[in-house]
Amino acid sequence: MTKVRWRQFCLAGSLSLLLLGVGVMGTIPTAGAQVSQNGTQNSATIERYGELVQAAEGYIQQGQLTQAIDTLEKALPLTPDGSLATIHNNLAALYMRRGNYHTGTKKDYRQGLEDYQAAVYYLDYAWPEGLERKPLHTKNLAIAKDNLELGYKNNRINPKDGPLHLQLAKDLRTQGRFRPAVVEYAKARELSPALSGESLQALGDLFTVLNRADKARKYYNQAIQALGPQSGDDLLVRLGNAQERSGEVNEAIKTLDQALNRNPANLGALNLLEKIWLREVKFNPRNVLAHANLGSIYQKKKNYPLAQRAYQNAEKLANEDAQTPFDVKKLIRLNLGTLFQETNQPDLALKAYQTVLQADPNHLMANYYLATLLRDTGKIDAALQQYGKVLSINPSFEPARMDLVALASQQTDPNKADLALADLARRFPQDALLQAKIGEIHHSRKQYDKAIPAYQTALRLDPKLSSASANLAAALQALGKHADAYDVAQKALISDPNNDTLKQLAANSKSQLGDDLYRKAYELQQAGKLKESLPLYEKAVAQHPTDTDILLAYAVALQQDQQLDKAILHYQKVTTLNPKQAQAHYSLGTAFHQKKQYPQARKSYSTALSLDNTLEDARKALQSLDDTETTQLLEKALEAFNQARYPQALALVQQAIRQQPTNAIAHYYQGLIYTEQQKTDQAIASYQEAIRLNPDYVDPYYSLGVAYDNRNRKADAKQSFETFVRLSEQQGSNEQQQALIQYAKERVAEL
């Protein structure tokens, strides 16, 4: 096969351009070389790769940069490992060259910026994991980043404004311009550490859409580290999906298990685990653990017949295989027991637990589940004895301790209940959660003199136990010890500053103040001493909780200090006390708007305008919400669609259409969803409506052609495909569209 090389080329520098360096493309590997993203190559793939590279070289020689870029991007998925660095480098070089053309000759600074973004994308963020960068690549990356900075300046974009880059990234993502969006999210993350979690998660999402599971996995992992405890179970599911697509099946299983530990009802995690274990069963039908894990998944999904069948299959295979560890057999039997208990078959559950205990009398979980079964069937004395056995096996087993506390509180005789609780407190003096639970039980009975010492013991063992602090403050309040309650709540707020319960307890416990506090607070606010005014306002509100003037002034000060939750709380107090106060409703709307709680903001603005139609600020604010809400709905719909959650995606799209009936993108998305749901007629109607609203919108023509083709409406299909090809060629196309254009042309020829 002919060796393919690229000639060296460069551009002359100017005020807005930098010297462009380009590397030499290596030779095409022989058949059998490995492709980094697509598995083993065959000779046909290599041949096609060579054809595309040669075609790209021809376009370059003719100065047709866009065609060269599109051709190389088609070659990229076919690229052998040995040429990956070169093709990434050369794509970046072509984008920089085209960006210089748009910037220097056409004065099209927006397109120039997007080309520079693409260059940085290929040399930096999309660079294959583990692939060595040679000096030329490093040099060109520096040039690309310099060009990107010039692109920002030409477009009057502050390159150091993290929130601005985040908004740019969101806009690009909404428009489907994913590669530039990657660069902007990465920029926002680099500039603003506070935006790291959101940006990293978005980067993972974008690389998922771009079919780069290796990159998606990387950024999802970083997002989880950045967000820490705030990373939700859905983010873990996304990571698990990327791991599974990267071939890291065992890591995916661990990640998905973590997601289920946080939210046992996470359907995404359950569905992906079901897919993994079904695939394992398909290829290894005698895999005992695969059947057992399938049973566990079905049980969590409450598909009990399938769960029982899977457990029984696992048990049958385990008994037939002498190599199956005995611990596995016990676990399967134990799972069957929990299934029977969950489906209200206590006799079968008892038999399953006893089978395990006959073989292993000290099996912790079998003893524990037996205790719960006795409890659930009303055999309290036997359950108490069984819990005792569990704790004799493992004294630190927390679920058994908590169950014992709950059982003790169920004693009908209050004296017996108090004695049982006191006994548990003595038996487990170092268990903070148990001590706090005992305090809660006494608290519920208004036994504050017993609840308070229990809470205090819990907090001595674990000072960061916020629930115990809140309950202790509440108990002290109930006894009229407001100063002590305030001190407890304030101390707890140091380690848990966003705990609304503690905030409210602290507010309710404050000392009473006079009218002069309000006047002094207002004077300080007007003098620009906002921080000094806030404590005085807070005390004034405690003194006059129904004075709407004080409440409104305090809310304004809180909003100025970015304490939006508290500001909203106090605005709402004003609107409750005086529902006809238009300014309070408008101010409440601005606070909701800042928090991006747009439905609540809309409601408040509308109420303000209905009370006073001269409030032009409220009218303008309402108008600005329409575009924002529709864009957010479509982003959520696209995410749901990409995860095959079609009913949810359809509901979001239809909500967007109700909000903005003339939004062509929303109608197009609706058509895509109907197509996936095999509702072809509705899909056709949606595509037609999108085209009616925006005749230059390319994508619906292709989807409409496919739908007509499926309905055997050949003439209509041919016309739609022809229009798609014509508009695509007029408007330019990306790598993904090139494949669609090729298919459309082929179908036109066939039709």
Side-chain angles (χ1 to χ4, degrees):
M1 184 176 294
T2 304
K3 294 183 178 180
V4 179
R5 292 184 178 273
W6 277 13
R7 55 190 177 80
Q8 297 279 357
F9 63 89
C10 64
L11 294 174
S14 69
L15 290 177
S16 61
L17 305 178
L18 291 175
L19 188 65
L20 175 62
V22 179
V24 179
M25 179 172 285
T27 59
I28 298 175
T30 59
Q34 297 293 309
V35 181
S36 177
Q37 298 167 30
N38 290 290
T40 304
Q41 276 199 311
N42 54 41
S43 58
T45 303
I46 295 174
E47 185 174 353
R48 178 60 178 155
Y49 167 72
E51 292 171 355
L52 290 169
V53 170
Q54 288 175 331
E57 182 179 359
Y59 286 131
I60 293 170
Q61 291 171 352
Q62 298 168 27
Q64 297 177 342
L65 299 180
T66 298
Q67 292 88 335
I69 288 170
D70 292 344
T71 304
L72 267 192
E73 286 183 335
K74 289 174 67 175
L76 184 59
L78 311 175
T79 305
D81 279 349
S83 297
L84 269 174
T86 302
I87 202 166
H88 272 258
N89 180 79
N90 288 334
L91 270 168
L94 286 172
Y95 270 114
M96 283 194 280
R97 183 170 179 177
R98 194 176 74 174
N100 289 343
Y101 168 75
H102 283 301
T103 300
T105 302
K106 301 290 287 185
K107 306 301 180 185
D108 186 348
Y109 298 127
R110 188 201 63 78
Q111 184 59 53
L113 172 61
E114 190 161 331
D115 284 339
Y116 295 146
Q117 289 165 328
V120 172
Y121 168 83
Y122 277 113
L123 282 172
D124 194 350
Y125 305 111
W127 191 266
E129 293 296 307
L131 186 63
E132 179 186 3
R133 275 196 184 88
K134 295 186 178 179
L136 174 63
H137 307 144
T138 303
K139 179 180 178 181
N140 279 351
L141 175 57
I143 294 173
K145 288 185 174 180
D146 287 342
N147 280 350
L148 180 61
E149 292 295 308
L150 289 172
Y152 289 139
K153 292 178 182 177
N154 287 335
N155 285 274
R156 298 182 180 179
I157 294 171
N158 181 356
K160 303 299 182 183
D161 188 339
L164 174 60
H165 286 282
L166 180 64
Q167 187 57 53
L168 288 173
K170 291 178 178 179
D171 293 342
L172 289 164
R173 181 178 180 181
T174 301
Q175 297 160 14
R177 294 149 69 188
F178 298 138
R179 293 184 182 88
V182 165
V183 176
E184 293 306 308
Y185 274 118
K187 190 82 173 174
R189 172 203 174 195
E190 292 163 5
L191 293 170
S192 300
L195 304 176
S196 289
E198 180 182 357
S199 299
L200 288 165
Q201 182 169 329
L203 285 167
D205 293 342
L206 287 170
F207 277 114
T208 297
V209 173
L210 291 165
N211 200 28
R212 289 294 303 276
D214 59 327
K215 292 290 184 180
R217 183 185 69 234
K218 168 187 173 181
Y219 286 112
Y220 284 141
N221 262 318
Q222 291 181 3
I224 289 169
Q225 293 174 9
L227 291 169
Q230 296 179 353
S231 62
D233 48 288
D234 283 336
L235 181 54
L236 287 168
V237 174
R238 296 182 197 185
L239 171 60
N241 183 58
Q243 291 170 328
E244 192 267 341
R245 291 175 61 196
S246 300
E248 297 183 346
V249 179
N250 289 332
E251 291 303 314
I253 292 170
K254 293 177 185 176
T255 300
L256 295 168
D257 283 341
Q258 291 177 28
L260 290 175
N261 286 336
R262 296 189 184 183
N263 177 12
N266 188 301
L267 192 58
L270 293 171
N271 287 340
L272 188 51
L273 282 169
E274 181 181 357
K275 170 188 169 184
I276 290 171
W277 291 117
L278 279 173
R279 184 173 58 209
E280 178 63 20
V281 166
K282 177 180 178 181
F283 291 103
N284 298 292
R286 298 191 64 80
N287 186 321
V288 174
L289 287 177
H291 286 281
N293 280 310
L294 262 181
S296 177
I297 297 302
Y298 288 138
Q299 185 174 349
K300 288 183 173 70
K301 294 177 77 171
K302 301 193 182 304
N303 191 334
Y304 300 124
L306 284 182
Q308 183 172 343
R309 187 185 311 162
Y311 286 143
Q312 289 171 339
N313 286 339
E315 195 166 50
K316 177 177 178 294
L317 293 169
N319 291 333
E320 292 173 354
D321 184 2
Q323 301 300 316
T324 302
F326 190 52
D327 283 345
V328 172
K329 295 180 179 180
K330 289 188 290 187
L331 182 59
I332 297 169
R333 174 62 25 183
L334 194 63
N335 282 358
L336 267 170
T338 64
L339 176 64
F340 291 138
Q341 185 173 349
E342 193 172 340
T343 55
N344 198 27
Q345 302 178 74
D347 293 339
L348 290 176
L350 178 62
K351 183 178 179 181
Y353 298 147
Q354 288 176 336
T355 300
V356 177
L357 291 172
Q358 285 171 2
D360 185 357
N362 290 324
H363 193 285
L364 177 66
M365 295 309 298
N367 277 288
Y368 174 67
Y369 285 132
L370 177 56
T372 65
L373 179 64
L374 293 168
R375 176 201 63 196
D376 293 345
T377 53
K379 300 173 183 177
I380 303 302
D381 291 338
L384 289 169
Q385 184 177 356
Q386 186 63 32
Y387 278 119
K389 181 174 181 181
V390 173
L391 291 172
S392 70
I393 297 169
N394 182 357
S396 63
F397 190 61
E398 197 66 35
R401 294 187 186 186
M402 292 296 111
D403 287 355
L404 273 175
V405 174
L407 280 174
S409 68
Q410 293 173 14
Q411 294 277 4
T412 55
D413 185 334
N415 292 327
K416 287 185 177 181
D418 288 349
L419 289 173
L421 291 170
D423 178 62
L424 286 170
R426 285 192 298 271
R427 286 176 61 189
F428 305 107
Q430 301 302 313
D431 190 329
L433 290 175
L434 181 139
Q435 298 289 340
K437 185 67 176 177
I438 290 172
E440 290 173 16
I441 293 169
H442 287 306
H443 198 151
S444 67
R445 296 174 175 176
K446 299 184 179 181
Q447 296 173 321
Y448 303 119
D449 58 329
K450 295 178 180 178
I452 289 172
Y455 291 141
Q456 290 171 332
T457 300
L459 289 169
R460 177 178 55 78
L461 296 168
D462 184 359
K464 294 184 179 180
L465 196 57
S466 297
S467 60
S469 294
N471 288 335
L472 174 58
L476 290 166
Q477 278 188 355
L479 293 178
K481 299 180 179 180
H482 298 292
D484 292 340
Y486 179 75
D487 289 342
V488 168
Q490 284 294 96
K491 183 178 179 181
L493 282 168
I494 295 173
S495 58
D496 189 4
N498 296 317
N499 189 309
D500 290 334
T501 301
L502 288 170
K503 290 178 182 178
Q504 190 62 50
L505 285 165
N508 291 340
S509 300
K510 285 185 177 181
S511 302
Q512 299 295 304
L513 298 173
D515 291 343
D516 59 322
L517 287 172
Y518 165 61
R519 290 191 294 271
K520 180 62 176 176
Y522 184 79
E523 291 170 2
L524 289 170
Q525 182 184 7
Q526 295 303 305
K529 299 179 180 180
L530 182 63
K531 292 290 186 184
E532 296 176 33
S533 73
L534 288 173
L536 301 181
Y537 267 132
E538 198 164 11
K539 293 179 181 179
V541 168
Q543 175 69 21
H544 301 290
T546 61
D547 189 313
T548 56
D549 290 335
I550 297 177
L551 284 166
L552 187 58
Y554 183 34
V556 169
L558 287 167
Q559 187 173 359
Q560 290 174 345
D561 197 48
Q562 298 301 311
Q563 298 187 50
L564 298 179
D565 288 333
K566 289 182 71 174
I568 288 170
L569 175 66
H570 287 81
Y571 283 134
Q572 288 173 331
K573 288 181 179 178
V574 175
T575 58
T576 300
L577 292 166
N578 185 358
K580 295 182 183 277
Q581 192 165 349
Q583 186 60 45
H585 285 285
Y586 170 71
S587 297
L588 176 59
T590 64
F592 279 131
H593 205 148
Q594 279 185 264
K595 282 179 66 65
K596 298 183 179 180
Q597 295 179 354
Y598 300 124
Q600 297 94 320
R602 179 182 297 279
K603 181 179 179 181
S604 296
Y605 289 146
S606 298
T607 302
L609 209 54
S610 69
L611 293 170
D612 182 357
N613 61 11
T614 65
L615 280 176
E616 284 302 313
D617 287 341
R619 197 184 312 279
K620 292 177 182 178
L622 276 171
Q623 292 173 354
S624 72
L625 282 175
D626 286 337
D627 286 340
T628 301
E629 289 184 334
T630 302
T631 298
Q632 286 193 330
L633 286 169
L634 292 179
E635 284 183 353
K636 292 178 181 178
L638 181 60
E639 180 180 351
F641 178 84
N642 289 333
Q643 297 175 359
R645 293 185 277 115
Y646 301 125
Q648 181 182 353
L650 182 60
L652 290 166
V653 166
Q654 290 177 340
Q655 186 179 346
I657 291 172
R658 288 193 297 272
Q659 189 162 288
Q660 276 194 328
T662 59
N663 190 299
I665 295 176
H667 287 280
Y668 172 56
Y669 282 6
Q670 180 176 251
L672 293 177
I673 297 165
Y674 279 141
T675 296
E676 291 297 327
Q677 293 179 329
Q678 299 182 357
K679 298 177 179 179
T680 306
D681 292 336
Q682 294 97 315
I684 288 172
S686 296
Y687 296 142
Q688 290 173 333
E689 181 63 11
I691 291 168
R692 186 188 70 78
L693 292 169
N694 184 359
D696 293 327
Y697 189 13
V698 174
D699 295 342
Y701 288 102
Y702 176 86
S703 300
L704 185 57
V706 173
Y708 281 143
D709 217 354
N710 290 336
R711 279 283 187 265
N712 202 26
R713 293 169 59 176
K714 296 181 180 180
D716 292 333
K718 181 173 180 291
Q719 182 181 1
S720 296
F721 283 135
E722 287 174 339
T723 306
F724 170 75
V725 171
R726 175 173 55 78
L727 289 176
S728 296
E729 291 176 346
Q730 288 175 355
Q731 298 176 14
S733 56
N734 57 29
E735 173 190 353
Q736 295 173 332
Q737 287 176 316
Q738 282 295 318
L740 301 181
I741 292 170
Q742 181 63 34
Y743 175 81
K745 288 180 177 179
E746 292 171 359
R747 285 302 296 149
V748 167
E750 292 168 1
L751 291 168

